[in-house]
Amino acid sequence: MDIKFNKNEDHNKLLVSELKKRLAKVKLGGGEKRIEKHHKKGKMTARERIDYLLDDKSKSIEIGAFAGDGMYEEHGGAPSGGVVVKIGYVKGRQCIVVANDATVKAGAWFPITAKKNLRAQEISIENNLPIIYLVDSAGVYLPMQDEIFPDKEHFGRIFRNNAVMSSKGITQIAAVMGSCVAGGAYLPIMSDEALIVEKTGSIFLAGSYLVKAAIGESVDNETLGGATTHSEISGVTDYKAKDDKDALDTIKKIVSKMGAAESAGFSREKAVKPKEKEDEIFGHLPKSRADQYDMLEIIHRLVDDSEFTQYKEGYGQTILTGYARIDGWAVGIVANQRKIVKTKKGEMQFGGVIYSDSADKATRFIANCNQKKIPLVFLQDVTGFMVGSKSEHGGIIKDGAKMVNAVSNSVVPKFTIVIGNSYGAGNYAMCGKAYDPRIIAAWPSAELAVMSGNSAAKVLLQIETASLKKEGKEITPEVEKELYDKIKARYDEQISPYYAAARLWTDAVIDPLDTRKWISMGIEAADQAPLEKKFNMGVLQV
């Protein structure tokens, strides 16, 4: 291997190392002291509960681990948004598990907590995936109640979804393992079955202090809404558990007796490892986001037996389309080609840019995958659509609109991996978050923004300097450089994959070597939801 390969490899492995450090910090939740306090109460932490419930914690993927990262520092922070969400297996059945982290502000709900819970329910609804709630929450974080209470994507939407999911026959199981108060009390009771843990679990619309203030009644919380009250008097809960493990064991028994899931019928054969060495991804992926490289080298290290059957190989070459298998599952891949290519007409096309012929090819391929019932995988490293008079005269807007239309109306499940750049309208056409991918994950090398940090800083610098000149201020080269560096530093922070993950624009930042697992588990989940609609592109300007 050459020096450039080795430098790329070192850089990308350092990025993965940084990812692991960040994850280790996030997994501490509210910190070691709060975890210790939690244990003294006889309670397991949210992550310990999930790990105990799942058959094998290594065969799971975590949604939104970085949710809330750096967003609420003035409130003490909210690691993982105060809730842990994983897709894994319980008694062999794939489920999604949602567990409040009571080490983070007693499990109180921040705005991002609601968004993350809604994302978990969205995954459950899209895939007919059983959902298990492990409840331990003090309810809404009151200092931010105006950002979490009344809107369509706020706290109340959770309970609306409970009702809709029940009508669809999606299994919902809830275990009350700590506090469950006020509006939050509806979640477990709107589930199909509810469990409660003795001494630590409680459910009530108003706690003892509020009851005293509202109606003058003096009552302790255990009598008001403890395990015995709801299991033997009110009948609100269905099972009483002596401790956390007993509750989780009961859930395992319930899940083990569920009927088989339906199947959408996606093709799967025996999984085969890629022929090419998977970890060579790190050497082929360039250190600089501006550098060109061959996306085929990445694809050959992601797909079974490194076998990729290209569709329209010689046409629209800045997008690669073709068929492959990932962990045995048949997939259609749409990927941005990041090397400069030469057309039959002798024209040079820049890698990572979507041209009219590329958009046309991708549109046709997406339609084919829908007709053949093949899930789609998008590998993003895109700077946007080609601009300029030649492209405009050639109808780039029309061809781009066709591609966006195809992505929007696709009925087969879509999965998006942001490998590098994800800029502007390229993000949309390549199935960004707004286009309903079943799972969207980013590598540590990813950047998500309207444009690159360098380009954006130059544009913003022009605006800033023009404004200052109007005020009569002199802009020396030194002042201009200082302004540029300041603007670029701010913008670079915003294009980080962690910034995107904190806001749930992506479901996760992942190690590239885990990509096959994420896609495979995503398709397995999607296979439980038979396709109900037929692909229809609607009206197009042809």
Side-chain angles (χ1 to χ4, degrees), residues 392-425:
E392 298 295 358
H393 296 171
I396 185 67
I397 295 175
K398 176 184 66 178
D399 292 317
K402 287 180 185 177
M403 184 176 174
V404 170
N405 191 308
V407 173
S408 302
N409 288 301
S410 179
V411 297
V412 295
K414 298 167 290 193
F415 303 88
T416 301
I417 306 296
V418 186
I419 288 175
N421 303 330
S422 181
Y423 298 154

PDB file of all heavy atoms in Angstrom, residues 392-425:
ATOM      1  N   GLU A 392     -28.115  24.021 -16.677  1.00  0.00           N
ATOM      2  CA  GLU A 392     -29.470  24.584 -16.642  1.00  0.00           C
ATOM      3  C   GLU A 392     -30.171  24.408 -17.988  1.00  0.00           C
ATOM      4  O   GLU A 392     -31.339  24.033 -18.057  1.00  0.00           O
ATOM      5  CB  GLU A 392     -29.418  26.076 -16.276  1.00  0.00           C
ATOM      6  CG  GLU A 392     -28.846  26.377 -14.896  1.00  0.00           C
ATOM      7  CD  GLU A 392     -29.685  25.859 -13.735  1.00  0.00           C
ATOM      8  OE1 GLU A 392     -30.762  25.287 -13.960  1.00  0.00           O
ATOM      9  OE2 GLU A 392     -29.242  26.021 -12.584  1.00  0.00           O
ATOM     10  N   HIS A 393     -29.446  24.653 -19.078  1.00  0.00           N
ATOM     11  CA  HIS A 393     -30.029  24.485 -20.415  1.00  0.00           C
ATOM     12  C   HIS A 393     -30.350  23.020 -20.694  1.00  0.00           C
ATOM     13  O   HIS A 393     -31.257  22.709 -21.474  1.00  0.00           O
ATOM     14  CB  HIS A 393     -29.064  25.017 -21.487  1.00  0.00           C
ATOM     15  CG  HIS A 393     -28.830  26.495 -21.381  1.00  0.00           C
ATOM     16  ND1 HIS A 393     -27.874  27.156 -22.122  1.00  0.00           N
ATOM     17  CD2 HIS A 393     -29.411  27.445 -20.601  1.00  0.00           C
ATOM     18  CE1 HIS A 393     -27.888  28.448 -21.808  1.00  0.00           C
ATOM     19  NE2 HIS A 393     -28.797  28.636 -20.890  1.00  0.00           N
ATOM     20  N   GLY A 394     -29.593  22.134 -20.069  1.00  0.00           N
ATOM     21  CA  GLY A 394     -29.833  20.701 -20.256  1.00  0.00           C
ATOM     22  C   GLY A 394     -30.941  20.144 -19.374  1.00  0.00           C
ATOM     23  O   GLY A 394     -31.264  18.959 -19.465  1.00  0.00           O
ATOM     24  N   GLY A 395     -31.508  20.980 -18.520  1.00  0.00           N
ATOM     25  CA  GLY A 395     -32.650  20.551 -17.701  1.00  0.00           C
ATOM     26  C   GLY A 395     -32.272  19.855 -16.412  1.00  0.00           C
ATOM     27  O   GLY A 395     -32.962  18.931 -15.972  1.00  0.00           O
ATOM     28  N   ILE A 396     -31.179  20.307 -15.764  1.00  0.00           N
ATOM     29  CA  ILE A 396     -30.753  19.654 -14.521  1.00  0.00           C
ATOM     30  C   ILE A 396     -31.839  19.715 -13.453  1.00  0.00           C
ATOM     31  O   ILE A 396     -32.002  18.765 -12.675  1.00  0.00           O
ATOM     32  CB  ILE A 396     -29.424  20.282 -13.997  1.00  0.00           C
ATOM     33  CG1 ILE A 396     -28.897  19.522 -12.777  1.00  0.00           C
ATOM     34  CG2 ILE A 396     -29.602  21.750 -13.665  1.00  0.00           C
ATOM     35  CD1 ILE A 396     -28.449  18.122 -13.036  1.00  0.00           C
ATOM     36  N   ILE A 397     -32.602  20.816 -13.421  1.00  0.00           N
ATOM     37  CA  ILE A 397     -33.670  20.930 -12.418  1.00  0.00           C
ATOM     38  C   ILE A 397     -34.722  19.853 -12.648  1.00  0.00           C
ATOM     39  O   ILE A 397     -35.193  19.201 -11.706  1.00  0.00           O
ATOM     40  CB  ILE A 397     -34.310  22.339 -12.452  1.00  0.00           C
ATOM     41  CG1 ILE A 397     -33.290  23.399 -12.046  1.00  0.00           C
ATOM     42  CG2 ILE A 397     -35.531  22.399 -11.541  1.00  0.00           C
ATOM     43  CD1 ILE A 397     -33.799  24.816 -12.168  1.00  0.00           C
ATOM     44  N   LYS A 398     -35.078  19.648 -13.901  1.00  0.00           N
ATOM     45  CA  LYS A 398     -36.082  18.634 -14.247  1.00  0.00           C
ATOM     46  C   LYS A 398     -35.582  17.234 -13.890  1.00  0.00           C
ATOM     47  O   LYS A 398     -36.311  16.446 -13.264  1.00  0.00           O
ATOM     48  CB  LYS A 398     -36.399  18.718 -15.749  1.00  0.00           C
ATOM     49  CG  LYS A 398     -37.370  17.646 -16.243  1.00  0.00           C
ATOM     50  CD  LYS A 398     -37.561  17.743 -17.754  1.00  0.00           C
ATOM     51  CE  LYS A 398     -36.292  17.410 -18.502  1.00  0.00           C
ATOM     52  NZ  LYS A 398     -36.469  17.461 -19.975  1.00  0.00           N
ATOM     53  N   ASP A 399     -34.348  16.922 -14.253  1.00  0.00           N
ATOM     54  CA  ASP A 399     -33.811  15.587 -13.978  1.00  0.00           C
ATOM     55  C   ASP A 399     -33.620  15.361 -12.479  1.00  0.00           C
ATOM     56  O   ASP A 399     -33.859  14.268 -11.974  1.00  0.00           O
ATOM     57  CB  ASP A 399     -32.491  15.387 -14.720  1.00  0.00           C
ATOM     58  CG  ASP A 399     -32.689  15.323 -16.229  1.00  0.00           C
ATOM     59  OD1 ASP A 399     -33.645  14.651 -16.660  1.00  0.00           O
ATOM     60  OD2 ASP A 399     -31.909  15.958 -16.967  1.00  0.00           O
ATOM     61  N   GLY A 400     -33.181  16.415 -11.780  1.00  0.00           N
ATOM     62  CA  GLY A 400     -33.053  16.310 -10.324  1.00  0.00           C
ATOM     63  C   GLY A 400     -34.396  16.099  -9.663  1.00  0.00           C
ATOM     64  O   GLY A 400     -34.528  15.312  -8.718  1.00  0.00           O
ATOM     65  N   ALA A 401     -35.423  16.790 -10.187  1.00  0.00           N
ATOM     66  CA  ALA A 401     -36.774  16.646  -9.630  1.00  0.00           C
ATOM     67  C   ALA A 401     -37.295  15.226  -9.817  1.00  0.00           C
ATOM     68  O   ALA A 401     -37.990  14.677  -8.948  1.00  0.00           O
ATOM     69  CB  ALA A 401     -37.718  17.651 -10.284  1.00  0.00           C
ATOM     70  N   LYS A 402     -36.963  14.618 -10.942  1.00  0.00           N
ATOM     71  CA  LYS A 402     -37.383  13.225 -11.182  1.00  0.00           C
ATOM     72  C   LYS A 402     -36.772  12.294 -10.144  1.00  0.00           C
ATOM     73  O   LYS A 402     -37.439  11.391  -9.624  1.00  0.00           O
ATOM     74  CB  LYS A 402     -36.948  12.777 -12.585  1.00  0.00           C
ATOM     75  CG  LYS A 402     -37.729  13.380 -13.731  1.00  0.00           C
ATOM     76  CD  LYS A 402     -37.162  12.831 -15.050  1.00  0.00           C
ATOM     77  CE  LYS A 402     -37.810  13.496 -16.252  1.00  0.00           C
ATOM     78  NZ  LYS A 402     -37.210  13.000 -17.518  1.00  0.00           N
ATOM     79  N   MET A 403     -35.486  12.508  -9.851  1.00  0.00           N
ATOM     80  CA  MET A 403     -34.813  11.655  -8.869  1.00  0.00           C
ATOM     81  C   MET A 403     -35.419  11.842  -7.480  1.00  0.00           C
ATOM     82  O   MET A 403     -35.687  10.869  -6.766  1.00  0.00           O
ATOM     83  CB  MET A 403     -33.317  11.965  -8.847  1.00  0.00           C
ATOM     84  CG  MET A 403     -32.519  11.064  -7.912  1.00  0.00           C
ATOM     85  SD  MET A 403     -30.755  11.414  -8.023  1.00  0.00           S
ATOM     86  CE  MET A 403     -30.135  10.351  -6.691  1.00  0.00           C
ATOM     87  N   VAL A 404     -35.648  13.098  -7.111  1.00  0.00           N
ATOM     88  CA  VAL A 404     -36.266  13.379  -5.811  1.00  0.00           C
ATOM     89  C   VAL A 404     -37.662  12.756  -5.751  1.00  0.00           C
ATOM     90  O   VAL A 404     -38.080  12.209  -4.720  1.00  0.00           O
ATOM     91  CB  VAL A 404     -36.330  14.903  -5.559  1.00  0.00           C
ATOM     92  CG1 VAL A 404     -37.195  15.215  -4.343  1.00  0.00           C
ATOM     93  CG2 VAL A 404     -34.927  15.463  -5.359  1.00  0.00           C
ATOM     94  N   ASN A 405     -38.387  12.823  -6.857  1.00  0.00           N
ATOM     95  CA  ASN A 405     -39.722  12.222  -6.933  1.00  0.00           C
ATOM     96  C   ASN A 405     -39.653  10.721  -6.700  1.00  0.00           C
ATOM     97  O   ASN A 405     -40.440  10.149  -5.939  1.00  0.00           O
ATOM     98  CB  ASN A 405     -40.336  12.534  -8.306  1.00  0.00           C
ATOM     99  CG  ASN A 405     -41.811  12.198  -8.393  1.00  0.00           C
ATOM    100  OD1 ASN A 405     -42.217  11.092  -8.074  1.00  0.00           O
ATOM    101  ND2 ASN A 405     -42.605  13.145  -8.842  1.00  0.00           N
ATOM    102  N   ALA A 406     -38.695  10.073  -7.356  1.00  0.00           N
ATOM    103  CA  ALA A 406     -38.550   8.615  -7.220  1.00  0.00           C
ATOM    104  C   ALA A 406     -38.206   8.221  -5.787  1.00  0.00           C
ATOM    105  O   ALA A 406     -38.760   7.261  -5.236  1.00  0.00           O
ATOM    106  CB  ALA A 406     -37.481   8.097  -8.177  1.00  0.00           C
ATOM    107  N   VAL A 407     -37.288   8.970  -5.174  1.00  0.00           N
ATOM    108  CA  VAL A 407     -36.915   8.687  -3.787  1.00  0.00           C
ATOM    109  C   VAL A 407     -38.106   8.903  -2.863  1.00  0.00           C
ATOM    110  O   VAL A 407     -38.376   8.098  -1.964  1.00  0.00           O
ATOM    111  CB  VAL A 407     -35.725   9.584  -3.349  1.00  0.00           C
ATOM    112  CG1 VAL A 407     -35.437   9.418  -1.863  1.00  0.00           C
ATOM    113  CG2 VAL A 407     -34.476   9.242  -4.150  1.00  0.00           C
ATOM    114  N   SER A 408     -38.858   9.977  -3.097  1.00  0.00           N
ATOM    115  CA  SER A 408     -39.996  10.313  -2.242  1.00  0.00           C
ATOM    116  C   SER A 408     -41.094   9.265  -2.302  1.00  0.00           C
ATOM    117  O   SER A 408     -41.720   8.940  -1.285  1.00  0.00           O
ATOM    118  CB  SER A 408     -40.578  11.672  -2.657  1.00  0.00           C
ATOM    119  OG  SER A 408     -39.620  12.686  -2.589  1.00  0.00           O
ATOM    120  N   ASN A 409     -41.349   8.732  -3.496  1.00  0.00           N
ATOM    121  CA  ASN A 409     -42.467   7.809  -3.689  1.00  0.00           C
ATOM    122  C   ASN A 409     -42.084   6.334  -3.614  1.00  0.00           C
ATOM    123  O   ASN A 409     -42.940   5.465  -3.752  1.00  0.00           O
ATOM    124  CB  ASN A 409     -43.150   8.095  -5.033  1.00  0.00           C
ATOM    125  CG  ASN A 409     -43.946   9.380  -5.003  1.00  0.00           C
ATOM    126  OD1 ASN A 409     -44.859   9.539  -4.202  1.00  0.00           O
ATOM    127  ND2 ASN A 409     -43.599  10.324  -5.865  1.00  0.00           N
ATOM    128  N   SER A 410     -40.811   6.067  -3.381  1.00  0.00           N
ATOM    129  CA  SER A 410     -40.362   4.682  -3.260  1.00  0.00           C
ATOM    130  C   SER A 410     -41.097   3.993  -2.111  1.00  0.00           C
ATOM    131  O   SER A 410     -41.243   4.547  -1.024  1.00  0.00           O
ATOM    132  CB  SER A 410     -38.853   4.661  -3.006  1.00  0.00           C
ATOM    133  OG  SER A 410     -38.394   3.346  -2.856  1.00  0.00           O
ATOM    134  N   VAL A 411     -41.567   2.773  -2.349  1.00  0.00           N
ATOM    135  CA  VAL A 411     -42.303   2.044  -1.312  1.00  0.00           C
ATOM    136  C   VAL A 411     -41.456   0.950  -0.661  1.00  0.00           C
ATOM    137  O   VAL A 411     -41.801   0.466   0.424  1.00  0.00           O
ATOM    138  CB  VAL A 411     -43.616   1.425  -1.873  1.00  0.00           C
ATOM    139  CG1 VAL A 411     -44.554   2.514  -2.341  1.00  0.00           C
ATOM    140  CG2 VAL A 411     -43.326   0.429  -3.000  1.00  0.00           C
ATOM    141  N   VAL A 412     -40.369   0.564  -1.308  1.00  0.00           N
ATOM    142  CA  VAL A 412     -39.481  -0.404  -0.661  1.00  0.00           C
ATOM    143  C   VAL A 412     -38.686   0.325   0.419  1.00  0.00           C
ATOM    144  O   VAL A 412     -38.464   1.540   0.318  1.00  0.00           O
ATOM    145  CB  VAL A 412     -38.517  -1.089  -1.667  1.00  0.00           C
ATOM    146  CG1 VAL A 412     -39.294  -1.937  -2.649  1.00  0.00           C
ATOM    147  CG2 VAL A 412     -37.644  -0.070  -2.381  1.00  0.00           C
ATOM    148  N   PRO A 413     -38.270  -0.370   1.473  1.00  0.00           N
ATOM    149  CA  PRO A 413     -37.519   0.302   2.540  1.00  0.00           C
ATOM    150  C   PRO A 413     -36.196   0.863   2.035  1.00  0.00           C
ATOM    151  O   PRO A 413     -35.527   0.261   1.193  1.00  0.00           O
ATOM    152  CB  PRO A 413     -37.315  -0.792   3.579  1.00  0.00           C
ATOM    153  CG  PRO A 413     -37.522  -2.080   2.866  1.00  0.00           C
ATOM    154  CD  PRO A 413     -38.494  -1.803   1.776  1.00  0.00           C
ATOM    155  N   LYS A 414     -35.836   2.022   2.582  1.00  0.00           N
ATOM    156  CA  LYS A 414     -34.610   2.718   2.179  1.00  0.00           C
ATOM    157  C   LYS A 414     -33.697   2.844   3.400  1.00  0.00           C
ATOM    158  O   LYS A 414     -34.171   3.083   4.513  1.00  0.00           O
ATOM    159  CB  LYS A 414     -34.943   4.117   1.642  1.00  0.00           C
ATOM    160  CG  LYS A 414     -35.816   4.115   0.401  1.00  0.00           C
ATOM    161  CD  LYS A 414     -36.384   5.503   0.096  1.00  0.00           C
ATOM    162  CE  LYS A 414     -37.411   5.916   1.122  1.00  0.00           C
ATOM    163  NZ  LYS A 414     -38.198   7.112   0.709  1.00  0.00           N
ATOM    164  N   PHE A 415     -32.405   2.719   3.150  1.00  0.00           N
ATOM    165  CA  PHE A 415     -31.394   2.825   4.215  1.00  0.00           C
ATOM    166  C   PHE A 415     -30.284   3.727   3.706  1.00  0.00           C
ATOM    167  O   PHE A 415     -29.803   3.558   2.589  1.00  0.00           O
ATOM    168  CB  PHE A 415     -30.846   1.437   4.579  1.00  0.00           C
ATOM    169  CG  PHE A 415     -31.936   0.490   5.001  1.00  0.00           C
ATOM    170  CD1 PHE A 415     -32.612  -0.279   4.051  1.00  0.00           C
ATOM    171  CD2 PHE A 415     -32.328   0.408   6.323  1.00  0.00           C
ATOM    172  CE1 PHE A 415     -33.645  -1.115   4.432  1.00  0.00           C
ATOM    173  CE2 PHE A 415     -33.366  -0.426   6.706  1.00  0.00           C
ATOM    174  CZ  PHE A 415     -34.025  -1.193   5.766  1.00  0.00           C
ATOM    175  N   THR A 416     -29.899   4.682   4.537  1.00  0.00           N
ATOM    176  CA  THR A 416     -28.925   5.683   4.106  1.00  0.00           C
ATOM    177  C   THR A 416     -27.701   5.676   5.013  1.00  0.00           C
ATOM    178  O   THR A 416     -27.833   5.706   6.242  1.00  0.00           O
ATOM    179  CB  THR A 416     -29.560   7.086   4.107  1.00  0.00           C
ATOM    180  OG1 THR A 416     -30.695   7.086   3.230  1.00  0.00           O
ATOM    181  CG2 THR A 416     -28.563   8.133   3.641  1.00  0.00           C
ATOM    182  N   ILE A 417     -26.533   5.624   4.399  1.00  0.00           N
ATOM    183  CA  ILE A 417     -25.265   5.722   5.115  1.00  0.00           C
ATOM    184  C   ILE A 417     -24.534   6.956   4.589  1.00  0.00           C
ATOM    185  O   ILE A 417     -24.209   7.031   3.401  1.00  0.00           O
ATOM    186  CB  ILE A 417     -24.380   4.464   4.912  1.00  0.00           C
ATOM    187  CG1 ILE A 417     -25.144   3.176   5.281  1.00  0.00           C
ATOM    188  CG2 ILE A 417     -23.097   4.602   5.723  1.00  0.00           C
ATOM    189  CD1 ILE A 417     -25.542   3.072   6.743  1.00  0.00           C
ATOM    190  N   VAL A 418     -24.296   7.927   5.467  1.00  0.00           N
ATOM    191  CA  VAL A 418     -23.569   9.134   5.082  1.00  0.00           C
ATOM    192  C   VAL A 418     -22.085   8.864   5.297  1.00  0.00           C
ATOM    193  O   VAL A 418     -21.604   8.832   6.426  1.00  0.00           O
ATOM    194  CB  VAL A 418     -24.024  10.363   5.897  1.00  0.00           C
ATOM    195  CG1 VAL A 418     -23.352  11.620   5.357  1.00  0.00           C
ATOM    196  CG2 VAL A 418     -25.546  10.510   5.854  1.00  0.00           C
ATOM    197  N   ILE A 419     -21.381   8.648   4.209  1.00  0.00           N
ATOM    198  CA  ILE A 419     -19.959   8.291   4.254  1.00  0.00           C
ATOM    199  C   ILE A 419     -19.080   9.535   4.336  1.00  0.00           C
ATOM    200  O   ILE A 419     -18.126   9.598   5.106  1.00  0.00           O
ATOM    201  CB  ILE A 419     -19.594   7.454   3.015  1.00  0.00           C
ATOM    202  CG1 ILE A 419     -20.208   6.048   3.151  1.00  0.00           C
ATOM    203  CG2 ILE A 419     -18.083   7.362   2.832  1.00  0.00           C
ATOM    204  CD1 ILE A 419     -20.006   5.175   1.939  1.00  0.00           C
ATOM    205  N   GLY A 420     -19.404  10.528   3.516  1.00  0.00           N
ATOM    206  CA  GLY A 420     -18.603  11.750   3.459  1.00  0.00           C
ATOM    207  C   GLY A 420     -19.491  12.966   3.417  1.00  0.00           C
ATOM    208  O   GLY A 420     -20.255  13.238   4.330  1.00  0.00           O
ATOM    209  N   ASN A 421     -19.430  13.713   2.308  1.00  0.00           N
ATOM    210  CA  ASN A 421     -20.225  14.934   2.176  1.00  0.00           C
ATOM    211  C   ASN A 421     -21.707  14.620   2.022  1.00  0.00           C
ATOM    212  O   ASN A 421     -22.083  13.636   1.373  1.00  0.00           O
ATOM    213  CB  ASN A 421     -19.765  15.733   0.952  1.00  0.00           C
ATOM    214  CG  ASN A 421     -18.295  16.090   1.004  1.00  0.00           C
ATOM    215  OD1 ASN A 421     -17.730  16.264   2.081  1.00  0.00           O
ATOM    216  ND2 ASN A 421     -17.668  16.213  -0.157  1.00  0.00           N
ATOM    217  N   SER A 422     -22.521  15.484   2.604  1.00  0.00           N
ATOM    218  CA  SER A 422     -23.969  15.401   2.422  1.00  0.00           C
ATOM    219  C   SER A 422     -24.461  16.838   2.366  1.00  0.00           C
ATOM    220  O   SER A 422     -24.969  17.385   3.345  1.00  0.00           O
ATOM    221  CB  SER A 422     -24.615  14.639   3.585  1.00  0.00           C
ATOM    222  OG  SER A 422     -26.019  14.542   3.403  1.00  0.00           O
ATOM    223  N   TYR A 423     -24.288  17.445   1.178  1.00  0.00           N
ATOM    224  CA  TYR A 423     -24.509  18.880   1.040  1.00  0.00           C
ATOM    225  C   TYR A 423     -25.753  19.204   0.214  1.00  0.00           C
ATOM    226  O   TYR A 423     -26.031  18.559  -0.808  1.00  0.00           O
ATOM    227  CB  TYR A 423     -23.311  19.555   0.363  1.00  0.00           C
ATOM    228  CG  TYR A 423     -22.008  19.461   1.120  1.00  0.00           C
ATOM    229  CD1 TYR A 423     -20.784  19.525   0.436  1.00  0.00           C
ATOM    230  CD2 TYR A 423     -21.963  19.316   2.499  1.00  0.00           C
ATOM    231  CE1 TYR A 423     -19.570  19.451   1.116  1.00  0.00           C
ATOM    232  CE2 TYR A 423     -20.761  19.239   3.185  1.00  0.00           C
ATOM    233  CZ  TYR A 423     -19.572  19.305   2.489  1.00  0.00           C
ATOM    234  OH  TYR A 423     -18.368  19.226   3.161  1.00  0.00           O
ATOM    235  N   GLY A 424     -26.472  20.219   0.664  1.00  0.00           N
ATOM    236  CA  GLY A 424     -27.562  20.811  -0.107  1.00  0.00           C
ATOM    237  C   GLY A 424     -28.587  19.825  -0.626  1.00  0.00           C
ATOM    238  O   GLY A 424     -28.981  18.871   0.049  1.00  0.00           O
ATOM    239  N   ALA A 425     -29.016  20.078  -1.862  1.00  0.00           N
ATOM    240  CA  ALA A 425     -30.046  19.236  -2.473  1.00  0.00           C
ATOM    241  C   ALA A 425     -29.546  17.815  -2.716  1.00  0.00           C
ATOM    242  O   ALA A 425     -30.348  16.896  -2.906  1.00  0.00           O
ATOM    243  CB  ALA A 425     -30.512  19.855  -3.790  1.00  0.00           C
TER     244      ALA A 425
END
